[in-house]
Amino acid sequence: MTSSLRSIHVVAAVITDARGRILLNRRNGTSDMAGLWEFPGGKREPGETSEQALARELHEELGIEAEVGDWLMDVPQLYPDKRLRLEVRQVQRWKGNARGREGQAITWVAPDRLGRYSMPPADLPVVAALRQADRYLVTPEPSAGGDAWLQGVQAAVDAGIRRLQLRTPQAGDRAALARDAVDRVGRHAELLLNRDIALARELGVGVHLGSEQLQQLQQRPLPESLLVGASCHDLAQLQAAQRLGCDFAVLGPVQATASHPGAAALGWAAFEQLREQVSLPIYAIGGLAAADIGTARRHGAQGVAAIRALWPQPVTG
């Protein structure tokens, strides 16, 4: 039973040099998951603060005196033999030359190349947090004509939203409206069409799969160059999204929402219990806004997804 597993709190560092590169540490042949690359750090011992533990580990592993910086996120991860909590901190200042003092290989990696390195499950959401948007706008469905909706999409991108799920009508001018949105903001934001794989492929944008599509598909529906997201409400759906190679999932509702008044809210504890059983980046959705990103990341989320809280115009527009 998972309740009997030992719990371990590990503190890891995102160490960034003056060129923006990030240091990775390779687990040596005597360690668990040997050969995988990870963010350096180690177990927090009894009586230590996170800052003390990380400074000690970085000195032991790399020979540097680090100034532990801002908190980035926590990642709860369930392994067969333990329940891990990975606390991630930023490190941009240190003294000394980093080297593998325990015989391990180290390397400096540009952020856009982090995905090329095989990592333990707990480290993968950290890569996503460093490289991907922390908020995901799910647009309202447009009203007649769609002009106000297109203006809202433009305003959202102008306000800094960089990842959007476009919900367009199921019939009529669906393709034309989606194409207009892509023409307007496709160079400035990551766009995913709601459920329509064929149209997404035609327009060269991503697709956001509905939960009902996850069990119907046998393989990733788009090439790696195009994003694939998925709506999930339980563990089976999260596992299906991971099996298909989705780039991220949206999980909820975490709290009660006006748009789904009858849906039972997960709450943060249940969200975390589901999050720890997969390694996908996951957005929390349901009654959340940008102000909740910190709370979401405390429970292992990539950030938040929302309709009303991120849409710059009234949903009726």
Side-chain angles (χ1 to χ4, degrees):
M1 295 179 62
T2 58
S3 59
S4 63
L5 293 176
R6 60 193 176 111
S7 295
I8 299 177
H9 188 136
V10 169
V11 190
V14 174
I15 303 176
T16 309
D17 70 5
R19 295 167 56 185
R21 300 177 304 172
I22 295 169
L23 189 147
L24 295 181
N25 202 38
R26 194 172 192 179
R27 300 179 69 89
N28 60 36
T30 62
S31 62
D32 188 24
M33 293 181 282
L36 298 183
W37 294 87
E38 65 182 0
F39 297 97
K43 181 180 175 182
R44 193 176 77 178
E45 301 293 348
E48 284 185 316
T49 65
S50 296
E51 291 83 357
Q52 290 168 339
L54 186 55
R56 173 182 55 76
E57 287 284 351
L58 296 181
H59 177 71
E60 293 173 359
E61 288 185 8
L62 303 172
I64 61 174
E65 302 293 335
E67 181 180 322
V68 178
D70 293 339
W71 170 86
L72 178 66
M73 72 183 304
D74 283 10
V75 182
Q77 192 70 48
L78 185 64
Y79 289 101
D81 61 337
K82 59 181 176 288
R83 173 169 271 129
L84 177 75
R85 186 167 205 88
L86 182 67
E87 178 184 347
V88 186
R89 304 291 293 267
Q90 301 272 9
V91 172
Q92 296 176 322
R93 298 178 182 177
W94 67 91
K95 295 179 181 178
N97 296 317
R99 63 192 189 281
R101 294 186 68 189
E102 299 174 344
Q104 80 278 21
I106 67 170
T107 188
W108 291 95
V109 183
D112 62 354
R113 294 176 178 266
L114 287 171
R116 301 183 180 185
Y117 290 77
S118 296
M119 294 183 172
D123 291 72
L124 296 177
V126 183
V127 174
L130 292 170
R131 297 188 57 205
Q132 300 180 31
D134 62 5
R135 60 207 75 189
Y136 180 38
L137 168 61
V138 181
T139 72
E141 291 191 7
S143 59
D147 290 341
W149 182 82
L150 286 169
Q151 292 171 12
V153 168
Q154 181 71 64
V157 173
D158 290 344
I161 297 294
R162 290 295 173 263
R163 180 171 284 181
L164 302 85
Q165 178 191 152
L166 303 178
R167 295 199 303 166
T168 52
Q170 296 303 309
D173 58 358
R174 176 184 179 88
L177 199 56
R179 187 172 289 106
D180 285 347
V182 172
D183 289 343
R184 280 197 184 210
V185 302
R187 293 187 299 275
H188 308 291
E190 297 172 326
L191 304 180
L192 296 90
L193 293 188
N194 178 264
R195 289 181 169 84
D196 195 330
I197 298 169
L199 183 56
R201 187 180 293 116
E202 177 186 335
L203 297 180
V205 298
V207 68
H208 186 97
L209 302 173
S211 57
E212 77 284 354
Q213 294 176 285
L214 292 172
Q215 300 298 341
Q216 301 168 3
L217 293 167
Q218 299 302 312
Q219 61 185 10
R220 182 184 170 94
L222 294 177
E224 297 292 331
S225 59
L226 300 176
L227 287 172
V228 178
S231 290
C232 298
H233 309 288
D234 57 32
L235 180 58
Q237 292 169 1
L238 285 172
Q239 291 172 332
Q242 184 162 277
R243 172 181 56 81
L244 288 172
C246 291
D247 297 289
F248 64 89
V250 173
L251 177 62
V254 176
Q255 299 174 166
T257 66
S259 57
H260 297 86
L266 283 174
W268 284 116
F271 177 94
E272 185 170 314
Q273 288 174 356
L274 292 171
R275 200 267 88 78
E276 71 177 1
Q277 298 182 70
V278 294
S279 57
L280 278 171
I282 300 175
Y283 290 95
I285 195 170
L288 305 174
D292 298 301
I293 291 173
T295 299
R297 286 196 164 182
R298 288 285 176 194
H299 297 278
Q302 167 75 14
V304 301
I307 303 175
R308 289 166 174 79
L310 297 177
W311 183 245
Q313 294 189 2
V315 171
T316 55

